[in-house]
Structures are given as C-alpha cells and as structure tokens.
Amino acid sequence: MVMEKILWKHIESVRSKSPLVHNITNYVVMNNTANALLAAGASPIMAHAKSEVPDMVALAHASVINIGTLDEYWSETMLLAAETSHKLGKPWVLDPVGAGATPFRDKILQQLLAFKPIVVKGNASEVMALAQANEGATKGVDSTADSNEAVNAAIGLAIQHETLVCISGETDIIVNGTQTVFIKNGHPLMTKVTGMGCTASALIGAFVGVVEDKTEGITAAMALLGIAGELSAEQADGPGSLQLKLIDKLHNLSEKEFYDHIRISKQ
C-alpha cells in the first residue's frame, strides 16, 4: 500500500500545484487533451508558433510533443521545442504517434530523440518501430501488438536514449532500464475514443513537471487515467458518454476510489 499512497500524493500534487503544460499536439485531440489536463488540475497551453515556442518552453513546467498530424512547419517547431527543453533542462514528453508508418515520420522522430525526452510514451507498435524492433507493423495510430511484446524494445530504447518508456495498452508498462512497472487498469471502451493515448501523454507531462521521481510521476499519471476510464466506463452508454464521464472522473476521483481500484505490480 506504500506505493499506492505515494502515487496518490502525486495526484494531489498536480491538483494543488497546477503545472503549466506546453503542448505541441495534433489537431484531432487538442480539445480533449486540454480538457483532461484542466480536469486533472493542470494548466494547458497549446502553442506551436516558432517565434514563441522558446518562451513557452521556458515558461512551462513541461512540454509534450505529439507528432500525430505532422507536417513540415510543425516538425521544425517540434525540433525547436525539444532543443530548447534540452538546453534548459526542462522535462519533455515524446508521443511518437504512427512511428514506423512513413520515412518522414521516422526521420523526425530520430531527430527528436537526440534531444533526450524524459519519457517516450507510445503503444506497443510505436515503441517497437521506434526501437527498430519490427517493420511495417504500425496500423495508422493503432497498435497491432500487445504491450507485453514491446517490453524488450522499450528496455533497449530506454538504455540507448537515456529515457523512460511508457507502453500504453491493455496493460500499461513503464520501463526505466532497471525496473518495469505494470498497471492493469482501464477498460476496452477507452479504445473507442480517439486520442486516449494522446491524453495519457499530456497527463504524463503534467506529472513529470512537478514530481521529482519521474518513474513515479508517469505511473501516477497512467494509473489516474486508467482508473478514471474504468470507473467512467461502468456508467457510460458508449464512447460518447465515456468521454464526458472521463473528464468528470479525472476531476473528482477520490482517494478511496484510487486505492480500491489500482492494480499495479513491479519487476
């Protein structure tokens, strides 16, 4: 129960400190992720103009770079944000949406990795593609692999790039090179709402912005989302109502609900 209490304290920390999270994310999920951050207690800003990105990075507690709707302008902005974060020692999160889908996408991802994200958060196929552990297995932004299949790739990625890796899926897995954390929360209905993985990345940004132990911060973020999704699905009629109820539950999840539902293990 000690770990569960630590994770809950991190959730309370985000709620009380309201970290500013700078997001360069895709058009599909901007509203979803901004609302999720607000509900969890953080403060989102969605800004991708090159002329102001360095100032935004400096101002924010953390930045999140999500390559979902990548283009030539945004790729330059993302690289500028990553470089600035690296220079300033600010934590930043990389969501490699669609890794392995196109050479352009893979080229930008390799350039971004050079600026040392604090965490790479993707589904199993994305993590495996990013680690060059498979070829042609990415289906758009959906995973064609189970999260457990990507553990070895994640460990290699974590060691090679000196980063933490979070694999999202039926079981969320956090790898730091020496320890692996498994979170078995969530609900299958969550896969029917677009951008749920992007929401996870944004929440991770909030937590790594204020939590000193980054592995704990990532774990708390994923546990929060998984439990909120699980409880929301019990009351939802379908994906539409799940999305609404999820925002509410991110906001009002209680300590008792967290302790009663969290399913976490380490190895």
Side-chain angles (χ1 to χ4, degrees):
M1 193 65 177
V2 174
M3 175 55 70
E4 288 84 347
K5 288 184 177 180
I6 290 171
L7 297 179
W8 179 253
K9 285 187 180 298
H10 294 329
I11 291 171
E12 290 184 320
S13 180
V14 169
R15 288 175 173 177
S16 64
K17 294 181 180 178
S18 190
L20 180 64
V21 184
H22 170 229
N23 297 265
I24 302 177
T25 191
N26 66 77
Y27 291 117
V28 181
V29 303
M30 281 190 187
N31 182 266
N32 301 29
T33 54
N35 280 328
L37 284 167
L38 285 169
S43 180
I45 186 163
M46 328 306 268
H48 59 268
K50 282 187 286 187
S51 58
E52 69 174 3
V53 157
D55 294 322
M56 289 297 184
V57 170
L59 185 64
H61 288 82
S63 293
V64 178
I65 297 177
N66 175 311
I67 71 161
T69 49
L70 190 64
D71 67 17
E72 286 75 10
Y73 179 90
W74 279 41
S75 63
E76 292 179 5
T77 304
M78 291 172 181
L79 289 166
L80 178 59
E83 182 180 15
T84 305
S85 295
H86 183 57
K87 285 181 177 177
L88 296 178
K90 290 290 190 81
W92 71 278
V93 179
L94 175 62
D95 190 333
V97 179
T102 67
F104 173 60
R105 200 163 284 258
D106 289 344
K107 175 185 175 183
I108 298 302
L109 284 171
Q110 291 305 313
Q111 291 174 342
L112 286 167
L113 282 169
F115 295 116
K116 304 293 184 184
I118 194 71
V119 58
V120 175
K121 201 292 303 174
N123 63 40
S125 291
E126 290 164 348
V127 169
M128 292 167 74
L130 202 57
Q132 298 180 334
N134 68 344
E135 294 181 4
T138 298
K139 186 188 79 174
V141 298
D142 299 321
S143 182
T144 57
D146 180 83
S147 52
N148 287 288
E149 297 177 49
V151 171
N152 287 337
I155 292 172
L157 197 64
I159 294 171
Q160 180 183 356
H161 294 284
E162 300 176 333
T163 187
L164 304 171
V165 180
C166 178
I167 312 163
S168 58
E170 183 177 351
T171 299
D172 298 317
I173 303 174
I174 298 100
V175 171
N176 64 13
T178 59
Q179 184 184 68
T180 305
V181 180
F182 301 85
I183 305 170
K184 296 185 177 181
N185 288 107
H187 191 278
L189 190 60
M190 295 171 73
T191 64
K192 302 300 181 182
V193 177
T194 188
M196 196 62 70
C198 303
T199 296
S201 298
L203 290 173
I204 287 172
F207 279 78
V208 299
V210 295
V211 175
E212 184 175 350
D213 186 312
K214 305 308 180 188
T215 301
E216 289 179 3
I218 298 162
T219 304
M222 296 304 291
L224 171 63
L225 180 61
I227 294 169
E230 196 173 301
L231 295 176
S232 299
E234 293 175 359
Q235 304 296 324
D237 296 320
S241 54
L242 170 66
Q243 192 167 12
L244 292 173
K245 292 178 183 297
L246 176 66
I247 296 297
D248 290 341
K249 188 50 65 177
L250 286 172
H251 176 70
N252 62 32
L253 182 73
S254 70
E255 185 174 4
K256 184 179 186 305
E257 286 175 322
F258 185 78
Y259 292 154
D260 286 348
H261 291 87
I262 188 168
R263 295 186 295 278
I264 185 172
S265 61
K266 298 180 185 178
Q267 71 176 34

